Amino acid sequence: MTYFSGENRNNILAEMETEVFDIFIIGGGITGAGIALDASTRGLKTALVEMQDFAAGTSSRSTKLVHGGLRYLKQFEVGLVAEVGKERAIVFENGPHVTTPEWMLLPIHKGGTFGKFSTSIGLRVYDFLAGVKKSERRTMLSASETLAKEPLVKKEGLLGGGYYVEYRTDDARLTIEVMKKAVENGAKAVNYSKVESFIYENGKVKGVIVIDVVTGKEYSIFAKKIINATGPWVDTMRDADKSKSGKVLRLTKGVHIVIDQTRFPLKQAIYYDTPDGRMVFAIPRDGKAYVGTTDTFYQNDTAHPTVTKEDRDYLIETINYMFPDVKVADDDIESSWAGVRPLIYEEGKDPSEISRKDEIWQSESGLITIAGGKLTGYRKMAETVVDLVAKSLNEKEARSLHACQTKTLPISGGDVGGSANFQAFIAEKTKKLIFDFSFSKEEAERLTRLYGSNIETLIDIMWETGKKAKEAQLPTSIYASLEYGIRYEMVTKPIDYLIRRTGAMFFNIEWVNQWKRQIISTMATTFNWTEEEKESYEAEVEMYIKEASKAV
């Protein structure tokens, strides 16, 4: 059993009760994970809890791009473009196994949102602000060059296109890898642990009451500083602290749909405008094409946003508008997901116009809240928060702290010799997997990309558990991947593995249906579930499959 194991949750929570932490973080999305990594590497005693699974909220339900914010240039948010543009290069360098450059095509049509001249100028400014390296700077294409890149694009009124680089990521795995690195540096982190209330002393927040959602057990945990990094639940925490005043959140919902490339044979990632003036991404990934996002105000169940028929119809309409020969229908959608974005409310603004800037507030009780922000900017947001905490320490404590370490620190799985060496790393480990386990080249490469430098641990598990995999009626790679998730990534429920550790629920739902029974049975044995518990988890998996497959 390892320290960040799904089997070790109770011990970690019990240990949290015995210490006073320098910093306690509520929320295990990318923002909370980033703060935990920054704080722990500076030498702060750090703890974090998440009421669901890590990345279960917004951080697993984005467009899965660490992008430079071209859309924000349109809103004249120059500072934001400059910051996130530079940050995305850092995210890539520190974890090339979870982030990869993706050339993006922006078709320009007569009467569309972007003109050829304005796009050329905009992309040039974008390259400058974002510090884009020479090999990835934008180029402008003619109509014929645009169609050569993507023949499915609407030909009528096509003037040409802009061609520039974005960075594609696996948002949930990025979050998990950042969290694992924080734990490696001494942070304590537990999922399925909900902060029920705050503990005060002389009007100042000194701790939290935490309920283990799995066991129902209650814990009292104390810290010098409490950070509210709960994303869409930020105002709920501020309410509990009786400090919700001034600026508040406005939640918006984004929806994505997934279509097999046999029905939508997209060659090239596209950023296209819609008849109502919005912008939508269509991105090829692992034999699928996913399309999104919508941007609508949202007030329903924050923990469980759902995809409506109206959401799906809207995205289908945009696909058939920009790719008229495809003629996609609702039956072609294999899966979908909805995510909630926590934006800072600006009166009178449309959801797509509200700023994605982050803001930090400190209440009279001392509770620090961070809200807004982007996936791309998580590291910089964390640095700002930890800087604020550092200023509150006494002189002796402050002197013992390191400066921010995260700008050049590889995340878990990122020890591959930097982005320049990543392809050579892939080739070497792929060859080893093929030789040792007779995997196909495709499967060997997929596993190496998924786990990065942690592939060596996965290989060890494969050698160790080959017999158990046969008994579980699972392929060696799946059994080892599941075992790795439980031991090293705090997989606690089947949906943790099926959605956030593998991405399969969104991008390979057929695979989920094929292996779900064996995966649940294996976990039931590992965790000694009762028959009732096992049935409960089976029902939960079926509910998520149904939701991903159908609109509500």
Side-chain angles (χ1 to χ4, degrees), residues 227-238:
I227 312 294
N228 172 18
T230 54
W233 293 271
V234 151
D235 281 349
T236 304
M237 288 288 102
R238 291 169 77 204

Side-chain angles (χ1 to χ4, degrees), residues 16 44 125 232 234 257 267 367 380 402 441 530 543:
M16 283 184 183
L44 289 165
V125 172
V234 151
I257 58 176
K267 286 170 54 179
L367 178 69
K380 197 69 182 172
H402 303 295
K441 185 175 184 293
T530 63
M543 179 191 76

Side-chain angles (χ1 to χ4, degrees), residues 399-411:
R399 272 203 311 268
S400 69
L401 290 188
H402 303 295
C404 177
Q405 307 285 300
T406 56
K407 192 170 183 178
T408 56
L409 181 71
I411 60 175

